[in-house]
Amino acid sequence: MSSYAIQSQGRARDAAGRDVFLLLDTESRKLSPGQIDLGVAKSRTRMYWCLAAVSNSFIVGDVNQDRRQDLGVIREEVRCETDQDREGWLVVTGPHYHRSRVRWHVFGGEDWSLDRDYDWTPVPQEARELPLIGI
């Protein structure tokens, strides 16, 4: 599930959102929290004249080959950077685009936890990317 709140002031309409993952036990047909907190997964804001945004993409696949579905997260950012010039004036540069490598959260039976050992592991062939809308 995904939630997104838009602030009603300003032209850029600042917004932030979080993604919540739930577990479905297919045998008992019970739904429970996935116990994973990725923080703000979507946002947009304006820094002076520069627009900045964050969006996470998610991949579901068995990265460690234990027959459990792991969660890969790719963070994409359009960000602005600030500095001061020689006279002390604030200088804003950007937007600058950055895309992270896949960070794998391995499923341990009750929850997912970040496992940096899989940072450079290729995405499993049978993995699928979750849609950005309609999760």
Side-chain angles (χ1 to χ4, degrees):
M1 293 190 303
S2 181
S3 67
Y4 200 63
I6 298 175
Q7 205 175 49
S8 61
Q9 297 177 341
R11 289 186 301 195
R13 302 274 174 142
D14 291 350
R18 302 174 78 84
D19 292 301
V20 178
F21 291 88
L22 302 173
L23 298 173
L24 173 63
D25 184 330
T26 55
E27 290 179 18
S28 69
R29 304 190 55 81
K30 285 191 173 189
L31 198 59
S32 61
Q35 306 297 329
I36 184 171
D37 183 4
L38 300 172
V40 174
K42 300 175 185 68
S43 71
R44 69 173 186 239
T45 189
R46 181 187 301 265
M47 179 186 289
Y48 300 98
W49 54 266
C50 188
L51 290 174
V54 170
S55 180
N56 284 349
S57 298
F58 301 104
I59 299 170
V60 176
D62 185 7
V63 72
N64 60 355
Q65 300 176 348
D66 67 351
R67 298 178 51 185
R68 294 179 177 169
Q69 295 299 296
D70 305 311
L71 182 65
V73 180
I74 302 169
R75 185 174 182 88
E76 293 183 276
E77 291 184 72
V78 176
R79 59 183 172 215
C80 306
E81 296 176 6
T82 60
D83 202 354
Q84 287 187 335
D85 65 11
R86 283 186 267 165
E87 288 82 35
W89 290 92
L90 179 67
V91 176
V92 179
T93 63
H96 306 282
Y97 175 77
H98 174 74
R99 179 183 167 110
S100 74
R101 63 182 174 266
V102 181
R103 297 283 167 95
W104 285 99
H105 297 259
V106 175
F107 188 66
E110 295 191 19
D111 61 4
W112 288 278
S113 60
L114 180 63
D115 191 332
R116 303 298 298 267
D117 290 341
Y118 295 99
D119 276 3
W120 298 101
T121 303
V123 174
Q125 188 172 7
E126 68 282 349
R128 63 191 183 282
E129 188 168 349
L130 297 178
L132 290 175
I133 299 174
I135 298 178

